[in-house]
Amino acid sequence: MRSCRWQVSRMMRLCLRWCRPCPKLAGRRGQTHRRLQELWSYWKLLLKSLYFNSLTNSDTYLDCVFEPVYWIVDNVTRWFGVVFVGLVIVLTSSVLVIVYLYLLPVILNTYPLTGIIWHLTYGHWLLVMVVFHYYKATTTSPGHPPQVKSDTPSVSMCKKCITPKPARTHHCSICNTCILKMDHHCPWLNNCVGHFNHRYFFSFCVYMTMGCMYCSVTCKDMFIDAYNAVESYYQTPPPLFTFRERTSHKSIIFLWVLTSSVAIALGGLTLWHAILITRGETSVERHINKKEIRRLKDKGRVFRNPYHYGKINNWKVLLGVEETSHWLTRVFLPSGHTPYEDGLVWECPQALNRRDLMAI
C-alpha cells in the first residue's frame, strides 16, 4: 500500500513539475523534449509493472486479446455438447432405420446364403462395437489428478485449479478441471478425451468409419438407381411411383450421402489420431513437442519424446494388450478393461521395454 501511494505521489509531482510555468523553458526545446520522454517512460513503466513478467511474449498478448472469444467458445461448446450427442444418436438411428427397412430386405432377397450370413454377421458386429464404444466414451471419466495432498509426483501447478499437475496432465477450460493425459475436448462426446476413455474414443472412430464405409459401398448400386429415379420425377409425364417407392428413393440417397461424408471426414480424423498414437503423442502434446523441437534445434540439440515406447508398444499401451489373446478379447470384441498405466506416473521407455509387453 505504501509503495502504491509513493508511485501515485511521484507521478503527481512529475506532472506538476512538467505543467508548472517557467520562463526559462521557453527557449529550451531540448530540455522540454527530454522531460516529455521521461514522463512517457515513467507512464510506460508504471503500466508494464501491472502485468509484465519475464514470461511475457507475443503469445501472452494474443491470449489476453482473445480471452473473451475463448470464454464464449468454451461456454457455447459446453452447452451445445448435449445437442451434438443428441445429433449423433438421431443420425445413427436414422441410418439404422433405413438399413433395416430398405437395404436389409434387398440383401435377404437377392444375395446368396454365404453373402447373407456375411452381411448379417459383419454389419451387426460393427453395430455392437459402435454403440458400445460410443456409450463408454461419453460416460467414462477421462481421469483427474487427486485433489487432496498425495505423494504423486507432479511437473507443475495448474494456475486455474491451484493443484499439482502430474505428467501429461492439462487443464480443460470447457470442463474447468485438469484431465489426465488430455488429448482434446470432443463436443460430439460432450466429454474430454483423456487417459481412461482414449481407447473408447479411438475405437469408436475406427468402427464408425468402418460402418459408414460398409453402408456406402453396400448401397452404392441402390443409390445410383434411386438417383436416376429421382431425376425422372421431372419428366413429362412423370413416372408413376408409390409413396413408399418415393420414400425409399430419398432415404437411400440420404443414407449414401450421409455415410460417405462421415466416412471421409471421420476417416481423416481417425488417420490423424492413429499417427499420433504411433508417435506416442496426444493432440495437446503434438503442439508442445513441435515447439520443443524448434527450440532445441536452434541450440543444436535433438528432441526425444519421453513417452514414445516404440511404434508397436505405443499401440499395446493404448489398447491394453498384455497377452496375445487380448488382440481378440480386448480389441475386436467389446471390453471394459482399464488402461495399462494409472495416468499419474509414466514409466520411461527403457523400463517398459524390459517387460514382457515387448515380446507380445
Side-chain angles (χ1 to χ4, degrees):
M1 188 67 182
R2 182 178 179 182
S3 176
C4 180
R5 290 179 180 177
W6 182 86
Q7 296 276 1
V8 174
S9 63
R10 174 63 177 170
M11 179 183 65
M12 293 179 65
R13 285 196 299 270
L14 285 175
C15 291
L16 291 174
R17 184 184 304 173
W18 181 76
C19 297
R20 185 172 55 188
C22 181
K24 295 182 180 180
L25 294 178
R28 301 178 181 178
R29 294 182 179 180
Q31 187 175 359
T32 303
H33 181 68
R34 187 169 58 255
R35 285 181 177 273
L36 286 173
Q37 284 185 335
E38 290 178 357
L39 186 61
W40 169 248
S41 300
Y42 180 79
W43 274 98
K44 190 164 60 173
L45 178 62
L46 183 64
L47 181 62
K48 284 187 176 182
S49 66
L50 299 177
Y51 64 87
F52 184 81
N53 58 63
S54 60
L55 301 178
T56 302
N57 51 28
S58 59
D59 293 337
T60 305
Y61 295 132
L62 290 176
D63 288 342
C64 294
V65 172
F66 286 98
E67 187 65 29
V69 179
Y70 297 151
W71 183 88
I72 294 174
V73 172
D74 291 345
N75 284 271
V76 169
T77 305
R78 185 182 307 168
W79 290 107
F80 271 82
V82 180
V83 178
F84 290 149
V85 171
L87 187 62
V88 171
I89 296 174
V90 170
L91 292 178
T92 306
S93 301
S94 65
V95 169
L96 289 177
V97 171
I98 295 173
V99 168
Y100 278 108
L101 288 180
Y102 303 110
L103 184 59
L104 188 59
V106 174
I107 294 175
L108 295 176
N109 294 327
T110 60
Y111 281 54
L113 180 60
T114 54
I116 293 175
I117 295 175
W118 185 86
H119 278 282
L120 290 177
T121 304
Y122 183 72
H124 286 90
W125 171 70
L126 286 177
L127 175 61
V128 171
M129 298 299 285
V130 167
V131 173
F132 172 79
H133 286 103
Y134 186 72
Y135 173 77
K136 296 293 288 185
T138 54
T139 58
T140 302
S141 172
H144 311 285
Q147 299 297 318
V148 297
K149 185 177 180 181
S150 63
D151 296 331
T152 302
S154 59
V155 295
S156 63
M157 288 288 295
C158 179
K159 62 181 180 180
K160 295 184 178 180
C161 296
I162 318 298
T163 55
K165 288 200 304 184
R168 313 189 79 177
T169 300
H170 301 280
H171 186 88
C172 175
S173 57
I174 299 176
C175 298
N176 197 27
T177 186
C178 288
I179 306 297
L180 297 178
K181 204 191 82 169
M182 178 180 176
D183 189 273
H184 69 288
H185 183 93
C186 181
W188 300 102
L189 302 178
N190 195 27
N191 195 9
C192 265
V193 177
H195 179 64
F196 289 101
N197 64 346
H198 192 184
R199 177 177 66 89
Y200 298 128
F201 163 77
F202 181 76
S203 298
F204 165 73
C205 291
V206 170
Y207 290 116
M208 177 62 83
T209 302
M210 293 172 60
C212 290
M213 293 175 60
Y214 165 75
C215 292
S216 178
V217 173
T218 304
C219 71
K220 182 189 68 173
D221 295 334
M222 296 180 63
F223 164 75
I224 296 175
D225 295 338
Y227 183 82
N228 293 331
V230 171
E231 286 289 324
S232 67
Y233 291 174
Y234 306 99
Q235 295 178 359
T236 304
L240 298 177
F241 289 111
T242 63
F243 175 77
R244 177 180 174 81
E245 290 174 337
R246 289 176 177 268
T247 304
S248 66
H249 295 159
K250 297 176 181 179
S251 299
I252 292 298
I253 293 176
F254 170 78
L255 172 66
W256 190 86
V257 172
L258 177 63
T259 55
S260 300
S261 303
V262 173
I264 295 174
L266 190 59
L269 178 66
T270 304
L271 180 61
W272 168 245
H273 278 278
I275 295 174
L276 292 179
I277 294 171
T278 304
R279 294 173 177 173
E281 297 176 326
T282 62
S283 299
V284 176
E285 293 170 351
R286 176 58 179 167
H287 297 288
I288 298 175
N289 292 346
K290 286 178 64 176
K291 293 181 179 180
E292 284 296 305
I293 291 173
R294 290 195 297 265
R295 185 181 68 85
L296 294 178
K297 185 177 180 180
D298 295 338
K299 297 181 179 181
R301 301 168 62 185
V302 178
F303 172 78
R304 295 185 62 183
N305 182 10
Y307 310 112
H308 181 45
Y309 304 123
K311 296 180 179 180
I312 302 300
N313 279 342
N314 289 336
W315 284 97
K316 293 176 180 178
V317 170
L318 175 76
L319 300 175
V321 175
E322 301 177 6
E323 300 176 3
T324 306
S325 60
H326 288 168
W327 287 107
L328 174 63
T329 59
R330 294 187 173 185
V331 179
F332 297 108
L333 292 177
S335 176
H337 63 279
T338 57
Y340 181 76
E341 302 281 357
D342 60 3
L344 299 174
V345 180
W346 295 88
E347 296 182 355
C348 62
Q350 292 79 8
L352 188 66
N353 289 341
R354 288 196 295 265
R355 295 197 173 193
D356 293 337
L357 187 65
M358 191 66 180
I360 296 177

